[in-house]
């Protein structure tokens, strides 16, 4: 199991990342009218994207380690499936990273 930290480095329990939204809600709902200002929502969006990217990177590393362990157990076919999944995961993380960069660049211009 891994320790997840918020954007300030504080440990948070796994599965509690909904707390990083502007309001209690599910992923992707956006900030809506619950934020005091658009600036706060934009900053929270950057914090959430940053958190999600790092969170996904941690999961990819854990899955990669799991695949290595399966290879050692002689379960190469299962390991290959996980490795392929990790590759797909990493492609998604690259897109998240690009989105985060674009958001940060846009915020600098404002």
């Amino acid at each position: 199991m891994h320790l997840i930290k918020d954007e300030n480095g504080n440990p948070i329990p796994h599965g509690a990342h909904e707390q990083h939204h502007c309001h209690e809600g599910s992923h992707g709902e956006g900030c809506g009218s619950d934020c005091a200002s658009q600036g706060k929502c934009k900053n929270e969006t950057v914090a959430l994207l940053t958190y999600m990217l790092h969170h996904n990177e941690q999961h990819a590393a854990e899955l990669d380690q799991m695949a290595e362990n399966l290879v050692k157990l002689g379960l190469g076919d299962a390991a290959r499936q996980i490795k392929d999944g990790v590759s797909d995961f990493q492609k998604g993380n690259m897109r998240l990273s690009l989105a985060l960069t674009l958001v940060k660049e846009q915020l600098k211009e404002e």
Side-chain angles (χ1 to χ4, degrees):
M1 182 165 197
H2 61 276
L3 184 63
I4 300 170
K5 296 182 181 179
D6 65 13
E7 64 274 7
N8 298 317
N10 301 312
I12 58 173
H14 192 276
H17 51 273
E18 288 82 9
Q19 296 170 1
H20 295 280
H21 291 273
C22 296
H23 58 87
E24 303 271 333
S26 62
H27 287 97
E29 281 185 17
C31 294
S33 61
D34 293 341
C35 284
S37 70
Q38 286 293 342
K40 181 180 176 187
C41 284
K42 290 176 182 176
N43 290 336
E44 289 191 18
T45 297
V46 168
L48 181 59
L49 276 172
T50 300
Y51 165 79
M52 292 178 80
L53 177 61
H54 293 300
H55 184 82
N56 287 352
E57 289 169 343
Q58 289 175 337
H59 280 299
E62 290 172 337
L63 287 167
D64 196 49
Q65 182 61 53
M66 184 182 296
E68 292 299 321
N69 292 341
L70 289 174
V71 167
K72 292 174 186 174
L73 294 171
L75 300 169
D77 291 340
R80 173 74 342 224
Q81 291 301 313
I82 291 173
K83 290 274 190 181
D84 289 348
V86 168
S87 177
D88 293 341
F89 214 94
Q90 289 170 336
K91 290 174 189 172
N93 286 345
M94 287 188 328
R95 289 188 182 274
L96 274 178
S97 181
L98 178 57
L100 178 60
T101 299
L102 292 170
V103 169
K104 287 179 176 179
E105 287 177 3
Q106 181 68 35
L107 291 176
K108 284 182 190 177
E109 294 174 7
E110 293 180 359

